[in-house]
Amino acid sequence: MVTTSILRFFSLLALLLALALPAYAVGVEDYPLLPSTEKVSDGADVLSRAAIAELQRRLEVFSDARVDARVITLRRLDYGLSLQELADQLLERWQGEDNAELLVLIETGTNSVSIQASSEVHSLLPEELLLSTAETTMAYPLRDGGRYRQALIDGIDRLGVVLAGGDDPGPPVVVEPALIVSNIPSAEETANSNGFSWVIVLLVVGTLVPMATWWVFSR
C-alpha cells in the first residue's frame, strides 16, 4: 500500500514538472499572430516598469523612421531553437505592409542577444552593425552582472544614432582596471633584500651574547 502511494506521488510530481517546465521554454507559437501594441515584451521579467517606459520612449526614434522596432526578453528557448531562428520566425509572422521590422531579443538563461531585421531595414542599419551591436555593445553589460536595462539602452541608442543619420559610435571602450601598486615587497624582493640578512644576524647575536655572558659569569 505504501509503495503504491509513493509511486503515485512520484508519477504526479513528474506530471506536474512536465507541465510546468515547457512554460518557461519559448517558441514562436507562444507569441500572438499579430504584434502587440506594446513595443517591449518582458517575458523574462527582468525589467522594471520605469525601465520599460524608458525603452518605449527610446524606440520612438525608430517609429519616426517607419521602422517597427521591438524588444523581447525570454527565459529560455525551446529545445533545438536558436535565438536568431526565433527572431526570423517572428519577423516572418509580424511582417507588416507599412513598416519595416526590427527585433532585439535577449535570452536571460544564457544572457545571449540577437538583433534581426527585415530586408527593408538593412539599407538603414546594415547587418554588420546589427551583429556588432549584439556581440559587443549589448554583450558587455550582460556579462557584467546581467545588466539588462543598460544593455538594451546601449544597443538601442547606438542603432538610433545611425538611423538618425549620424556616424556609428562603435562598440563601447572597455577600460581594463588599473593595476594597484603595492608597497609590500614580494617574496623575491624580500629574499634579495639586505634587510633580511641583517635580521638574521641580529637574531643570532641576540641569542649568542646572552649565552656567552651567562657562561662567563657562571664560572
Side-chain angles (χ1 to χ4, degrees):
M1 183 67 178
V2 176
T3 304
T4 304
S5 301
I6 293 176
L7 290 176
R8 288 179 179 176
F9 170 77
F10 281 107
S11 299
L12 179 60
L13 180 61
L15 177 61
L16 292 175
L17 289 175
L19 293 174
L21 288 177
Y24 292 97
V26 172
V28 68
E29 65 279 357
D30 295 298
Y31 294 92
L33 294 176
L34 296 176
S36 171
T37 56
E38 299 295 330
K39 300 296 184 181
V40 180
S41 175
D42 184 26
D45 196 23
V46 292
L47 300 172
S48 66
R49 291 185 178 179
I52 292 175
E54 182 179 9
L55 291 170
Q56 298 268 20
R57 289 193 300 270
R58 291 174 183 267
L59 289 172
E60 290 178 1
V61 66
F62 295 87
S63 298
D64 295 340
R66 301 184 66 82
V67 174
D68 186 15
R70 298 177 177 275
V71 168
I72 297 175
T73 70
L74 53 106
R75 288 188 175 91
R76 67 183 182 90
L77 294 162
D78 279 343
Y79 179 77
L81 181 66
S82 71
L83 201 57
Q84 180 177 345
E85 289 172 342
L86 175 61
D88 290 339
Q89 291 171 5
L90 289 175
L91 284 175
E92 183 178 357
R93 170 177 286 200
W94 292 341
Q95 182 67 55
E97 297 180 357
D98 298 329
N99 291 342
E101 303 284 336
L102 174 72
L103 294 181
V104 181
L105 275 66
I106 293 181
E107 182 188 7
T108 60
T110 58
N111 278 345
S112 55
V113 186
S114 180
I115 305 178
Q116 303 297 325
S118 57
S119 57
E120 296 86 350
V121 179
H122 292 158
S123 60
L124 304 172
L125 302 173
E127 289 188 71
E128 295 79 7
L129 173 62
L130 302 183
L131 182 62
S132 175
T133 302
E135 293 185 349
T136 60
T137 304
M138 296 184 65
Y140 179 73
L142 292 181
R143 291 195 303 266
D144 185 27
R147 295 186 291 134
Y148 302 104
R149 170 187 168 276
Q150 191 63 52
L152 288 166
I153 288 176
D154 291 348
I156 290 172
D157 285 353
R158 179 180 176 183
L159 297 179
V161 169
V162 177
L163 190 64
D167 294 331
D168 177 18
V173 178
V174 180
V175 180
E176 296 294 337
L179 295 176
I180 300 176
V181 179
S182 175
N183 293 326
I184 302 175
S186 63
E188 183 178 357
E189 292 172 340
T190 303
N192 295 331
S193 172
N194 291 332
F196 184 74
S197 300
W198 278 107
V199 170
I200 298 298
V201 171
L202 291 175
L203 287 175
V204 172
V205 172
T207 302
L208 294 180
V209 169
M211 292 178 64
T213 303
W214 175 84
W215 185 81
V216 170
F217 286 100
S218 63
R219 295 176 61 86

